Amino acid sequence: MPKTLAIYLMAGREAPALAEAAVAGGADLVEIGFPFSDPLADGPVIRLAGERALVEGMRTRQCLECLAETRERVDVPLIPMTYASLLDAYGYEQFAADAEAAGATSLIVADLPADERPELRRVQLVAPTSTDERVRLAAETTDGWLYLVTLTGTTGARRELSPALAALVERARAATEVPLYAGFGISTPDHARAAAEIVDGIVVGSRAVEVAERGPRALTEYVRSLRAAVDA
Amino acid sequence: MRTPGVYGAYGGRYVPETLIPALDELEAGWRAAVDDQSFAAEIVELGRTFAGRPTPLTRAHSFARDKRLYLKREDLLHTGAHKLNNALGQAVLARRLGKRRIVAETGAGQHGVATATACARFGFECVVYMGAEDMRRQRPNVERMHLLGADVRPVEFGTRTLKEATSEAIRDWIANVDTTHYLIGSSVGPHPYPEIVRELQSVIGQEAREQILAVEERLPDAVVACVGGGSNAIGIFSTFVADQEVRLVGVEAAGAASLGSGRAAVLHGSRSSVLADEDGQIADAHSISAGLDYPGVGPEHAFLRDSGRASYVTATDEEAVAAFRRLARTEGILPALESSHALARVADLDAELVLVCLSGRGDKDLAGVVARGAS
Ligand SMILES: Cc1ncc(COP(=O)(O)O)c(C=O)c1O
């Protein structure tokens, strides 16, 4: 089975072209960050990108438009990733419906653990700290695949692939058959290759956001290097 | 309250999954502590021998002439504010949980000082996040924290005040959750924090109720407290909630009125009434008082507002400074600017016997008040 390569980008004027560039480089899935003023799960790179997007006027409606424009350019699954406060203000069901209408294939809400708002269909996250029981709960309710947070911490590139990932994968495999994608801290082709050996997909966020600031061509090249590593 | 952690439409646990097991562990540790008489005994003992409990109830004779006004003197508590009740209690809890590293946020610096004090006493490592703007305006408290051995980390982005300091403290907790207890400073945050902080602060109300009954032989007509995150208010309100004849009045800073001008939103782990825009983005708060300069409030206050059991009003910066000066002149007490907001609304209350929670002392605010010139 080829491994899935997911790339996270912050919503914004450039996001549709950047998503197209990521897909040209071999991305199989694109996450679009809908910025929130107080992103607890994010390290400095994504927090700063979110601050800039908010200054640029990327509120929920503009993010949904960005999603729709991105959908016109790429065929891969598109998943908004955001925080509960945006959904709370918009209405949880309405948000899910309007995101789907704009081309989203699922949702990720970083501060909505599996037992909070269980009626909302979304990709659930588990972390190295999650108990086996919580891994099972998340796997049972997740939408398609399970997001493994590789480390105990916030988003952001790390020097090494988290040593906690292997044990989490083992526990998740014991609990579920759904595909497992690993994210948080993965930034280099070496990380990508090592992670792809044990999971079904990887998610690259902070480094992709950084590279995207240099434009679509740089992003395509960077994603291509990840693709080659993942397929190796 | 019905489901633990749920206050009507508010409360909950809106945090990354990474923290949920720690919150479960905290809740279990808290329940075990509540059932263990030695926990309560240790807190009472620390209060009596270290913190200075019980704090007095002072009759204010001239501040508001047509009222019988009593001040519950949390300003006389060790470190100068009610925050120590919570910090000591959570430190005992952290030790039971085997956590020896403490992370906290602070606005006015009072919670940071209280936490640093508890950590010094318990031999814990202490990291306090504080907005760079707050470090500037509450300098004496930064120096206190340093002397107490705390690592004070400036937060240089966003509002540079309590909101960002809280976010950074939570991010630190996410990264160090195995070894670290997050010692939250108010009755906010994900369940079980609002309940833990309320219970640890309820000593204010329990003492004040006995004290006022002893001198007046009746309950007050109104209980008034300032509301930042809401911990001193919930601490004094909780003992009177069942007494329907006692009015509960919370006073927010006019530029930080999460209950007065907020809407339902999710901030720092719970759903509450928050200063936010229609998209759920959190707005900036503005107050001369660093301890009230926060766009959120504890979920139980949002519930008490909706149910009508408590009412919430505001005081402006100018009104708070005027009340500060007036209490100093009339009663010989320098109140914290936070507490001055509660004092500022006493005069126009339609009530005769009034109990105010004087949550802290004003030493930390002298520079700011003096800079505003004579009244
Ligand atoms: C003296 C004093 N009163 C009140 C507050 C506000 O907090 P809370 O609403 O949690 O009591 C603070 C916060 O720093 C404070 O220092």
Side-chain angles (χ1 to χ4, degrees):
Chain A
M1 270 276 281
K3 307 287 173 157
T4 299
L5 176 58
I7 297 292
Y8 174 101
L9 298 167
M10 184 57 71
R13 260 194 305 279
E14 312 300 330
L18 288 167
E20 197 173 1
V23 171
D28 307 302
L29 186 160
V30 177
E31 292 177 16
I32 305 270
F34 284 26
F36 175 49
S37 53
D38 297 81
L40 289 183
D42 286 309
V45 170
I46 293 180
R47 174 174 59 69
L48 284 167
E51 282 173 18
R52 282 194 302 272
L54 286 170
V55 169
E56 203 187 291
M58 295 306 296
R59 301 309 163 103
T60 306
R61 226 162 281 281
Q62 289 75 15
C63 290
L64 288 168
E65 282 163 20
C66 170
L67 187 65
E69 281 171 40
T70 307
R71 174 46 78 218
E72 282 172 18
R73 294 190 182 215
V74 302
D75 290 327
V76 299
L78 284 180
I79 304 184
M81 179 160 179
T82 190
Y83 286 83
S85 198
L86 277 76
L87 282 85
D88 204 289
Y90 199 91
Y92 286 84
E93 278 176 33
Q94 193 64 47
F95 187 101
D98 288 3
E100 189 180 347
T105 49
S106 189
L107 272 178
I108 300 174
V109 190
D111 57 349
L112 214 49
D115 35 9
E116 201 72 64
R117 309 268 169 185
E119 66 286 356
L120 182 76
R121 281 298 280 174
R122 60 191 188 267
V123 174
Q124 304 286 11
L125 298 101
V126 295
T129 54
S130 302
T131 58
D132 289 345
E133 190 190 338
R134 292 198 61 83
V135 171
R136 249 190 320 275
L137 170 72
E140 274 163 20
T141 55
T142 199
D143 187 17
W145 50 280
L146 193 59
Y147 195 137
L148 307 190
V149 175
T150 68
L151 47 81
T152 305
T154 51
T155 58
R158 305 291 201 280
R159 208 165 298 166
E160 309 283 340
L161 180 67
S162 167
L165 177 61
L168 179 58
V169 171
E170 202 172 306
R171 294 196 294 127
R173 293 282 187 217
T176 179
E177 314 250 282
V178 299
L180 308 177
Y181 296 3
F184 282 48
I186 298 177
S187 62
T188 68
D190 281 348
H191 299 160
R193 183 180 308 112
E197 278 175 17
I198 53 173
V199 291
D200 309 302
I202 62 157
V203 184
V204 177
S206 293
R207 185 54 58 80
V209 167
E210 270 173 342
V211 174
E213 282 160 27
R214 306 205 306 264
R217 210 168 305 158
L219 185 63
T220 300
E221 217 170 288
Y222 171 64
V223 174
R224 201 170 276 144
S225 73
L226 295 170
R227 179 83 257 167
V230 162
D231 290 342
Chain B
M1 204 128 307
R2 309 123 311 258
T3 319
V6 175
Y7 306 90
Y10 309 107
R13 278 181 176 176
Y14 294 83
V15 292
E17 166 68 19
T18 304
L19 292 180
I20 296 292
L23 291 169
D24 283 340
E25 180 197 29
L26 178 62
E27 184 173 10
W30 167 247
R31 301 264 171 258
V34 168
D35 290 340
D36 179 352
Q37 286 184 354
S38 73
F39 177 71
E42 182 170 0
I43 287 177
V44 168
E45 180 70 4
L46 273 169
R48 194 173 61 79
T49 63
F50 180 67
R53 300 222 72 89
T55 58
L57 186 74
T58 299
R59 171 83 193 267
H61 290 281
S62 343
F63 181 81
R65 275 207 196 84
D66 56 335
K67 304 201 191 309
R68 288 208 310 289
L69 171 63
Y70 286 88
L71 307 175
K72 178 59 176 164
R73 300 291 305 280
E74 294 302 294
D75 62 314
L76 291 178
L77 197 67
H78 180 39
T79 72
H82 69 291
K83 298 285 180 185
L84 191 66
N85 299 321
N86 172 48
L88 284 175
Q90 284 198 50
V92 176
L93 190 56
R95 198 190 55 210
R96 290 178 69 107
L97 295 170
K99 304 274 171 91
R100 303 191 58 83
R101 181 179 182 270
I102 301 291
V103 55
E105 76 293 335
T106 196
Q110 288 302 129
H111 175 59
V113 168
T115 301
T117 298
C119 288
R121 172 132 184 132
F122 281 76
F124 293 159
E125 183 187 345
C126 180
V127 175
V128 179
Y129 289 88
M130 188 168 189
E133 165 64 11
D134 288 340
M135 287 181 74
R136 187 191 58 72
R137 58 181 167 170
Q138 308 276 246
R139 195 73 221 164
N141 276 340
V142 176
E143 276 146 20
R144 271 185 204 114
M145 285 184 273
H146 285 149
L147 288 169
L148 291 160
D151 174 5
V152 184
R153 299 191 182 164
V155 180
E156 302 274 9
F157 58 85
T159 58
R160 293 157 185 254
T161 61
L162 183 52
K163 174 167 85 88
E164 263 67 30
T166 305
S167 295
E168 279 301 272
I170 295 174
R171 290 187 185 106
D172 180 307
W173 193 37
I174 291 174
N176 299 291
V177 66
D178 292 339
T179 58
T180 299
H181 173 69
Y182 174 35
L183 209 162
I184 204 166
S186 190
S187 53
V188 299
H191 173 67
Y193 280 111
E195 175 188 325
I196 291 175
V197 177
R198 177 193 66 214
E199 292 304 306
L200 293 174
Q201 291 293 2
S202 66
V203 65
I204 305 173
Q206 284 156 16
E207 286 178 8
R209 192 175 205 278
E210 275 180 34
Q211 289 165 323
I212 203 159
L213 282 173
V215 283
E216 288 285 337
E217 294 176 348
R218 72 174 182 96
L219 292 173
D221 300 320
V223 177
V224 188
C226 68
V227 178
S231 68
N232 86 90
I234 206 74
I236 198 163
F237 286 180
S238 59
T239 326
F240 297 96
V241 163
D243 305 303
Q244 291 298 335
E245 71 274 24
V246 179
R247 279 170 56 198
L248 306 176
V249 182
V251 185
E252 299 185 290
S258 325
L259 293 157
S261 1
R263 61 174 83 212
V266 177
L267 176 63
H268 296 147
S270 60
R271 183 173 198 267
S272 187
S273 185
V274 182
L275 294 181
D277 69 15
E278 58 185 12
D279 293 311
Q281 306 289 345
I282 311 306
D284 292 353
H286 297 285
S287 171
I288 188 179
S289 147
L292 304 185
D293 201 355
Y294 180 67
V297 69
E300 192 164 3
H301 284 293
F303 172 73
L304 289 173
R305 177 199 62 187
D306 288 4
S307 73
R309 180 61 191 92
S311 56
Y312 297 88
V313 294
T314 63
T316 64
D317 288 355
E318 292 71 29
E319 289 172 320
V321 170
F324 178 109
R325 290 178 173 281
R326 183 169 169 79
L327 196 76
R329 296 269 176 89
T330 57
E331 308 291 343
I333 299 170
L334 292 173
L337 272 176
E338 290 79 15
S339 326
S340 302
H341 286 73
L343 293 165
R345 284 281 75 82
V346 167
D348 33 61
L349 272 183
D350 177 21
E352 204 225 330
L353 181 59
V354 178
L355 169 64
V356 170
C357 184
L358 199 72
S359 57
R361 69 178 184 220
D363 308 47
K364 68 187 177 57
D365 298 311
L366 294 187
V369 171
V370 171
R372 290 203 150 217
S375 62

